[in-house]
Amino acid sequence: MAQAPAAGGVSYELGKIETNFLVNSATGTLLSAIPQGAGGFKTESGITLYPSVAVGIGFNDNLNLTSANKVSSNFVNISPTLLAAMNYKGDRYTALASMDTVSYPSNSLDNTRASAFKLAADKYFSTRARGGLSAEYNTGTSSRDANVPSAEPDRYHGSALNGTFAYGAAGAKGRLEADAGLTNKTFDNNRAKTALLDLDVTSVAGRAFVKVGGRTLGLVEVSNAKTNYVSALSQNLNNTERKYYLGLTWDATAATTGIVKVGRMTKDFDSGKQGYSGASWDASVRWLPRTYSAFTLQTSKNTADTTDAASFSYSLNTATNLSWNHSWSSVISTSASVGVSNATYPGTLKADVNTNTYSLGASYAFRRWLSLGVDFTNTDATSSNPLSAYKKNVTMFTLNASL
């Protein structure tokens, strides 16, 4: 094994493509969503363009997530997006180009940039059969870690190809779904440490839905994701992750929608190193006591690949988040959320990390296409290892504009 980051240093959680999406008979799954309330410009070719931009100015009091020798800075966040959408003979197509940059005037070494370009299509073969295909290329930046000195943040690029197929008419007693995906992630710099982290993932999943009453469907889901690392020095991290879920999804009333999936998952390493076999779940429930007020509860328990000298294995992550969005008038709205999460590293010396997060926000819409906002987020991570514990506060004033 090549030399790894020092113990207690940065932990890379290496994401996989999602394999738990559901096909929505009205809007499709893989298409990029049109922002709510956004206006568009329709061209003579039938393509509608939805440009938007978000600008934020704020202060981050702990850029590198450390408990000592904190680095703080003002920052400017600029996020332009252009979405193109078209309907043709009942099928739907979208193209999305987006960028997100964060600049720290007093600490330019920590500037970050991410971008994405995505093409997606929904094809309706009949009233019962429909499918979707999407292709995406993205770039990103991982925050620089003070415990593992480097001249610049880790930068990476990746691509993903996803396909899905659903059979079952709207309102039918049953429905079948299948999807598959390919994704890869390659780091571009700091190769002394990041060369170990390049990976490829292939995934497949299948679901069956049965109506159990009203607008409630029971579901059975099985998924498989295979992760292969490119470097010969990381082959002992190659693994297969499987999930077996039972659950419910419902739109029982205008006030309540949700999906709850509970079951078991396994994570097996090709090398025979210790994996995981145990409980797993994924749930999201949305409740609207009023049309202008919404509560959303999300909770999950899953594994994630992670690579540092203290683990070189995986983390077992449990997270719960409750959010509330409320419109006080046609122009004033607020948001609040609180979240708790726990990350453990079975079979390793790496210390557990417990994280509490809360956020508050408010927005004032001067026009349908222009709003000002303010957001505050507090994060408090505790651990028996001081290098994994930190507190962070971020305050940001935002300007959002669209057509």
Side-chain angles (χ1 to χ4, degrees), residues 86-107:
M86 182 179 70
N87 293 344
Y88 180 72
K89 294 184 178 180
D91 301 326
R92 303 182 182 199
Y93 305 88
T94 61
L96 176 71
S98 65
M99 181 175 290
D100 185 270
T101 64
V102 181
S103 301
Y104 299 96
S106 60
N107 209 66

Side-chain angles (χ1 to χ4, degrees), residues 261-303:
K261 299 184 293 185
V262 180
R264 189 173 185 82
M265 72 175 296
T266 62
K267 190 178 189 71
D268 299 313
F269 288 89
D270 295 357
S271 62
K273 68 186 303 179
Q274 179 179 332
Y276 176 75
S277 178
S280 177
W281 63 80
D282 198 347
S284 179
V285 179
R286 189 167 183 257
W287 175 53
L288 284 77
R290 297 288 187 271
T291 56
Y292 49 82
S293 189
F295 291 87
T296 302
L297 175 65
Q298 296 175 306
T299 180
S300 64
K301 183 177 183 179
N302 291 289
T303 64

Side-chain angles (χ1 to χ4, degrees), residues 5-6 8-12 143 145 147-148 154 193 306-309 350:
V10 62
S11 176
Y12 297 90
S143 298
D145 190 280
N147 298 313
V148 185
D154 300 330
K193 61 178 180 179
T306 179
T307 302
D308 66 15
K350 187 173 175 63

Side-chain angles (χ1 to χ4, degrees), residues 48-337:
T48 303
L49 302 177
Y50 299 89
S52 63
V53 63
V55 178
I57 299 175
F59 180 77
N60 184 334
D61 71 356
N62 191 356
L63 270 64
N64 303 129
L65 309 182
T66 60
S67 57
N69 302 318
K70 297 181 181 179
V71 176
S72 61
S73 177
N74 297 317
F75 66 86
V76 177
N77 182 200
I78 302 176
S79 302
T81 299
L82 177 62
L83 172 65
M86 182 179 70
N87 293 344
Y88 180 72
K89 294 184 178 180
D91 301 326
R92 303 182 182 199
Y93 305 88
T94 61
L96 176 71
S98 65
M99 181 175 290
D100 185 270
T101 64
V102 181
S103 301
Y104 299 96
S106 60
N107 209 66
S108 60
L109 287 178
D110 289 297
N111 291 350
T112 64
R113 182 179 67 234
S115 63
F117 181 70
K118 178 181 177 182
L119 298 173
D122 257 10
K123 175 70 175 179
Y124 292 81
F125 303 102
S126 69
T127 56
R128 292 186 177 88
R130 57 197 179 278
L133 183 67
S134 72
E136 179 177 356
Y137 177 82
N138 59 73
T139 66
T141 309
S142 299
S143 298
R144 199 163 57 105
D145 190 280
N147 298 313
V148 185
S150 59
E152 59 181 356
D154 300 330
R155 307 189 189 281
Y156 60 86
H157 68 273
S159 60
L161 180 65
N162 291 306
T164 186
F165 178 80
Y167 185 84
K173 293 183 178 180
R175 185 169 83 243
L176 297 175
E177 293 182 4
D179 52 70
L182 301 170
T183 190
N184 65 75
K185 184 175 185 179
T186 302
F187 286 83
D188 302 318
N189 63 341
N190 298 329
R191 296 298 287 171
K193 61 178 180 179
T194 62
L196 298 174
L197 310 179
D198 299 345
L199 54 78
D200 300 305
V201 181
T202 59
S203 66
V204 293
R207 290 168 220 92
F209 297 84
V210 177
K211 183 174 290 188
V212 296
R215 299 183 179 179
T216 302
L217 299 174
L219 71 90
V220 178
E221 176 179 293
V222 179
S223 64
N224 182 98
K226 181 69 172 74
T227 300
N228 290 309
Y229 287 82
V230 176
S231 172
L233 299 175
S234 302
Q235 295 300 297
N236 68 327
L237 298 176
N238 293 348
N239 67 86
T240 301
E241 187 176 279
R242 296 184 177 92
K243 296 179 181 178
Y244 310 90
Y245 282 149
L246 295 175
L248 293 172
T249 179
W250 70 93
D251 184 8
T253 68
T256 307
T257 59
I259 180 169
V260 176
K261 299 184 293 185
V262 180
R264 189 173 185 82
M265 72 175 296
T266 62
K267 190 178 189 71
D268 299 313
F269 288 89
D270 295 357
S271 62
K273 68 186 303 179
Q274 179 179 332
Y276 176 75
S277 178
S280 177
W281 63 80
D282 198 347
S284 179
V285 179
R286 189 167 183 257
W287 175 53
L288 284 77
R290 297 288 187 271
T291 56
Y292 49 82
S293 189
F295 291 87
T296 302
L297 175 65
Q298 296 175 306
T299 180
S300 64
K301 183 177 183 179
N302 291 289
T303 64
D305 287 16
T306 179
T307 302
D308 66 15
S311 62
F312 271 102
S313 183
Y314 70 95
S315 62
L316 180 60
N317 304 323
T318 304
T320 300
N321 187 80
L322 176 64
S323 62
W324 175 43
N325 292 276
H326 187 89
S327 297
W328 300 94
S329 70
S330 60
V331 295
I332 298 176
S333 61
T334 59
S335 62
S337 70

